């Protein structure tokens, strides 16, 4: 590599959590379905202030049919 070569840009970091709208895009599910799954306790979320976020790992678990989220029942 020459001293004049441009450094390769680093890819943006993978998000740890996404908005409900982004979760819809990532899973190809409607906002209605996402909200229904959250309410049923099958999809975990986290709150940061007023924002509701879905952890990316939780989305992967949900889409891949992993174990059900613990609903505390």
């Amino acid at each position: 590599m020459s001293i004049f070569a441009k450094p390769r840009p680093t890819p943006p970091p993978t998000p740890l959590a996404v908005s409900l709208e982004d979760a819809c895009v990532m899973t190809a599910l409607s906002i209605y379905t996402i909200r229904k799954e959250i309410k049923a306790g099958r999809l975990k979320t986290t709150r940061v202030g007023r924002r509701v976020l879905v952890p990316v790992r939780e989305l992967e678990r949900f889409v891949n049919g992993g174990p059900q989220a613990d609903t505390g029942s």
Side-chain angles (χ1 to χ4, degrees), residues 3-4 17-18 20-21 23 26 32 34 38 46 50 52 58 61-63 70 73:
I3 60 171
F4 300 106
V18 295
L20 295 183
E21 292 78 12
M26 292 173 73
Y32 173 80
I34 294 289
I38 291 167
T46 187
R50 294 175 58 184
V52 177
E58 177 66 8
R61 182 210 54 83
F62 178 76
V63 170
D70 182 20
S73 307

Side-chain angles (χ1 to χ4, degrees), residues 33-63:
T33 301
I34 294 289
R35 289 184 188 276
K36 181 176 74 169
E37 295 300 316
I38 291 167
K39 187 173 183 177
R42 292 185 288 263
L43 186 59
K44 293 181 186 177
T45 61
T46 187
R47 283 190 168 269
V48 178
R50 294 175 58 184
R51 292 191 67 185
V52 177
L53 300 173
V54 183
V56 171
R57 286 188 182 208
E58 177 66 8
L59 278 177
E60 291 169 350
R61 182 210 54 83
F62 178 76
V63 170

